[in-house]
Amino acid sequence: GLGGSLVKEKSLSASDCASVSVFNVGVSTLLYVAIFFAAPYIERFYALEGLMTITRVLSLTFIIGAFGLVPRCMLVRELKFKQIGLLSVFSVVVASVLAILAALAGWRAYSLVVYQLVNTAISTIGAMAMSRYLFSVRFRSSDLKRHLSFGVLTTLANVVDIVYDNILIIITGKIATVSQVGYMSQSKKIQEVSTNGIATSVNNVAFPLLTKHRDEREK
């Protein structure tokens, strides 16, 4: 939600970006700490040995990705979708190659963890390099409150959407085998790839364009 608020602003100050970035990193760190301590219970719930460590390592993507929020928003504001697309392709290709090599080396489930960590890290570093944005601890509560007033509703909507979208797989993971849940998850992704791809493409381009005309009611 805060990312959308940054995109819609007519002008952004360094304080705006820093306040949102600090808040995002802070919340992501708290989420990571919560999952870190919940990991043993997650492993016990699913009765899968080693899931605790996998969960803790995989959740590092929260913190890594948090640093990329503001840089990505700055690229979207400037409609640099070609650069965003090239970065996405590059990060996916590199992460996929490393994950396949890890799988061939016998890393098993950790090869999937490698993919997520590398993909997130390259996307974050690439966005920071392209936008030339450097993380700053400059923080103003007034700036954050202004962005939160817009972002809180979209955040709640996204949380409801994500919970609804994943609840079936979470439940199935308890009553079915790991391989069955894996096939179910992948088939779901394949099923949604066309519709989600179209919707995401349209939304990502339409939102920054429409916000530029928000004061022109007739248009």
Side-chain angles (χ1 to χ4, degrees):
L2 294 177
S5 184
L6 290 178
V7 172
K8 76 173 181 58
E9 287 293 299
K10 289 183 176 180
S11 60
L12 278 182
S13 66
S15 178
D16 283 315
C17 295
S19 299
V20 169
S21 192
V22 168
F23 178 79
N24 200 48
V25 171
V27 170
S28 299
T29 302
L30 289 175
L31 283 172
Y32 176 77
V33 171
I35 290 184
F36 183 90
F37 287 107
Y41 303 100
I42 295 173
E43 179 179 280
R44 193 180 309 164
F45 177 79
Y46 287 111
L48 287 172
E49 186 178 352
L51 186 58
M52 176 183 72
T53 306
I54 290 175
T55 300
R56 287 174 172 175
V57 177
L58 183 61
S59 297
L60 287 170
T61 54
F62 290 165
I63 300 176
I64 299 171
F67 287 94
L69 172 70
V70 172
R72 281 193 297 271
C73 290
M74 294 176 70
L75 293 174
V76 171
R77 278 176 58 87
E78 298 169 6
L79 305 180
K80 293 184 176 180
F81 297 110
K82 179 180 179 180
Q83 291 88 330
I84 295 172
L86 291 173
L87 176 60
S88 297
V89 171
F90 178 73
S91 62
V92 167
V93 169
V94 173
S96 298
V97 170
L98 292 178
I100 292 170
L101 292 176
L104 292 174
W107 286 31
R108 298 170 64 85
Y110 280 98
S111 59
L112 300 176
V113 176
V114 166
Y115 173 82
Q116 295 291 347
L117 288 174
V118 173
N119 187 22
T120 303
I122 293 177
S123 297
T124 298
I125 295 171
M128 294 177 74
M130 288 179 177
S131 65
R132 298 181 181 178
Y133 175 78
L134 295 176
F135 179 78
S136 171
V137 294
R138 188 187 308 173
F139 181 84
R140 287 175 56 182
S141 58
S142 57
D143 291 332
L144 180 62
K145 287 179 181 178
R146 191 175 77 257
H147 291 292
L148 278 175
S149 64
F150 173 86
V152 66
L153 295 178
T154 52
T155 298
L156 289 174
N158 286 335
V159 168
V160 171
D161 185 48
I162 290 170
V163 170
Y164 173 78
D165 205 36
N166 290 280
I167 192 69
L168 184 59
I169 291 177
I170 293 172
I171 295 172
T172 307
K174 177 63 177 175
I175 62 177
T177 65
V178 175
S179 58
Q180 287 174 325
V181 178
Y183 284 127
M184 177 180 175
S185 175
Q186 292 304 315
S187 63
K188 184 172 179 292
K189 289 180 181 179
I190 294 173
Q191 175 191 347
E192 295 175 347
V193 67
S194 59
T195 53
N196 285 357
I198 295 170
T200 301
S201 300
V202 172
N203 289 339
N204 285 347
V205 178
F207 182 65
L209 283 174
L210 291 173
T211 54
K212 295 180 183 297
H213 303 288
R214 63 181 181 180
D215 295 327
E216 304 171 49
R217 292 188 175 276
E218 287 185 13
K219 182 177 292 185

